[in-house]
Amino acid sequence: MKKYSRDDQTTMAAWAADCAERVLPLFEKAYPEDDRPRRAIETARTWVRTGIFRMAEIRGASLAAHAAARDAKENDTACFAARAAGQAVATAHVPQHAYGGAYYALKAVAAADPANAVVNVTRERAWQAERLPVGLREEIMERIVVEERGGGVSVKLRKGEGF
């Protein structure tokens, strides 16, 4: 039995794309010539809009965004922003990838301004939660854990049963 309906999955994909798009400027500022994360978000939005699933296209866009993240490994902020895009588009294949889109977006926000990470991540997580339908909000947001640590913030993705 599937955990999420097709409507849930498209809602989650649109939400994950929104989360990734909010941090995309953090990647593009550092790597203005690299459009792989942007193309991944666009591919996710095309799938949400049309419902047409082409595995090669979805997988290619996701892998390209993750390759951009690897290429940005010296810049945590950009790396996490690219990963958010890669996870968002992968939601077309497996709904739980939406969690990764939000998770990596929060990590990008934290890395972008460590001195204000607690406030910024708390604000971004609230924005993320507000944009999920009530039926998905509690389940998804309880798996994306933000903890204050030593004046900073730790973002974790709680996996487990049903994930």
Side-chain angles (χ1 to χ4, degrees):
M1 182 174 186
K2 283 187 161 185
K3 182 174 178 94
Y4 298 108
S5 70
R6 179 64 175 237
D7 285 343
D8 288 342
Q9 187 173 3
T10 56
T11 297
M12 291 165 73
W15 172 75
D18 290 345
C19 292
E21 192 166 54
R22 284 177 58 89
V23 296
L24 182 62
L26 299 172
F27 178 86
E28 292 180 332
K29 181 179 179 185
Y31 302 94
E33 302 300 317
D34 191 341
D35 68 348
R36 293 175 291 180
R38 176 171 294 283
R39 283 187 287 143
I41 293 167
E42 290 168 357
T43 301
R45 292 199 188 287
T46 298
W47 175 75
V48 167
R49 189 178 63 254
T50 66
I52 297 170
F53 181 87
R54 294 183 182 97
M55 185 59 182
E57 184 179 359
I58 298 296
R59 186 171 189 269
S62 180
L63 291 175
H66 286 295
R70 284 190 304 278
D71 290 346
K73 68 183 174 210
E74 302 300 319
N75 181 328
D76 285 345
T77 303
C79 177
F80 294 141
R83 291 214 182 277
Q87 292 291 317
V89 69
T91 305
H93 179 241
V94 175
Q96 286 85 342
H97 282 292
Y99 295 82
Y103 164 78
Y104 281 113
L106 292 174
K107 289 184 75 71
V109 167
D113 184 4
N116 296 300
V118 172
V119 170
N120 293 340
V121 169
T122 300
R123 184 181 307 127
E124 188 67 15
R125 189 176 186 283
W127 180 92
Q128 290 176 350
E130 288 171 6
R131 274 134 189 96
L132 279 169
V134 173
L136 293 170
R137 183 179 304 147
E138 183 177 337
E139 178 182 345
I140 292 174
M141 297 313 292
E142 76 179 9
R143 291 188 182 270
I144 302 168
V145 180
V146 175
E147 298 173 342
E148 289 186 45
R149 292 221 171 143
V153 67
S154 170
V155 182
K156 297 180 181 178
L157 186 56
R158 184 182 304 131
K159 296 183 180 178
E161 190 175 330
F163 192 82

